[in-house]
Amino acid sequence: MRAPVVIDLETKKTFREVKDNKDLGVSMLGLYNYADQKQYSFEEGELSNAFPLLEGASVVIGFNIISFDLPVLQAYYPGKVTNFKTFDILDYVKETIGKRLSLNDLVSATLGKKKSGHGLLAIEYFREGKIDQLRSYCMDDVMLTKELFDYGAAHNEIIYLNERGKVSIPVKNWKKYLDTDDDVQSHLTLPF
């Protein structure tokens, strides 16, 4: 059964240190698989174990994955990450309201929750060898992204705050991404 996955990744370096996404290095990739309702995490040396899950997904869901996560992952993936069917919540927000919002702003207004840190903290965890904290931070972001997506699919909106209060961002049929289809042919080229 092909089902969605939600991903988030953390890097080893910042854009202050390198100019290109492919040079940032992956410290941790977090993934939630709707097919078995399980969470997975992969350190850099384990990324090849994530590829079958990405290959088998009906869609890869995330927050800023098209501009950030997938280009970083491309340095490790032997195929083309652009072949993954994707849904990027940040891109949807930008196209819908004309501006970018942070994941924290959206989950705070929509779910009443907050991120457990920020990306630079994840780099610090990696550099200090605090892999359990890094894993926890990454998986927190995965699950917040999943919960935000699920809320949008169920309520046909997500929310942010502006100077006047809560503002609804209408969601157009996110439920379609949750449909599973056993007959869908792989849209990728690698034999996983």
Side-chain angles (χ1 to χ4, degrees):
M1 171 178 66
R2 291 170 62 82
V5 298
V6 178
I7 67 164
D8 181 64
L9 68 74
E10 304 306 328
T11 63
K12 299 196 275 184
K13 297 179 182 175
T14 71
F15 281 117
R16 290 184 188 143
E17 298 167 289
V18 299
K19 300 290 183 217
D20 196 330
N21 287 12
K22 68 178 177 52
D23 298 325
L24 290 168
V26 174
S27 62
M28 186 71 63
L29 172 69
L31 184 146
Y32 176 85
N33 187 359
Y34 279 89
D36 60 12
Q37 300 180 2
K38 290 185 180 175
Q39 299 176 40
Y40 298 87
S41 60
F42 306 92
E43 293 179 53
E44 182 181 43
E46 304 167 325
L47 287 174
S48 62
N49 297 326
F51 299 153
L53 294 169
L54 296 170
E55 285 272 352
S58 58
V59 62
V60 178
I61 299 167
F63 193 89
N64 198 26
I65 60 170
I66 293 173
S67 296
F68 184 74
D69 299 63
L70 292 176
V72 172
L73 190 59
Q74 182 61 74
Y76 299 86
Y77 184 64
K80 293 182 179 179
V81 295
T82 53
N83 287 340
F84 294 134
K85 181 178 178 185
T86 59
F87 179 72
D88 191 321
I89 296 172
L90 179 60
D91 280 1
Y92 180 88
V93 167
K94 186 178 172 189
E95 289 170 15
T96 304
I97 66 169
K99 64 181 178 179
R100 296 168 57 100
L101 296 171
S102 73
L103 177 61
N104 198 54
D105 288 345
L106 291 166
V107 298
S108 178
T110 305
L111 306 172
K113 297 184 176 186
K114 292 194 180 277
K115 284 172 51 85
S116 58
H118 53 81
L120 294 178
L121 182 61
I123 291 171
E124 206 172 291
Y125 286 150
F126 170 74
R127 291 182 177 167
E128 293 174 1
K130 297 179 179 176
I131 302 306
D132 288 341
Q133 288 99 322
L134 173 62
R135 187 180 320 278
S136 177
Y137 169 78
C138 185
M139 292 312 302
D140 284 348
D141 273 9
V142 169
M143 296 311 293
L144 287 173
T145 302
K146 177 203 175 292
E147 289 177 44
L148 181 66
F149 177 82
D150 289 346
Y151 184 96
H155 299 281
N156 296 314
E157 71 172 354
I158 55 175
I159 300 164
Y160 72 99
L161 296 174
N162 70 11
E163 59 280 349
R164 295 184 210 154
K166 289 188 174 187
V167 180
S168 173
I169 301 172
V171 165
K172 297 177 184 169
N173 198 16
W174 286 10
K175 286 180 189 174
K176 69 182 177 187
Y177 296 110
L178 294 173
D179 292 338
T180 57
D181 189 348
D182 294 331
D183 296 327
V184 174
Q185 296 296 314
S186 177
H187 50 279
L188 303 168
T189 57
L190 296 179
F192 292 127

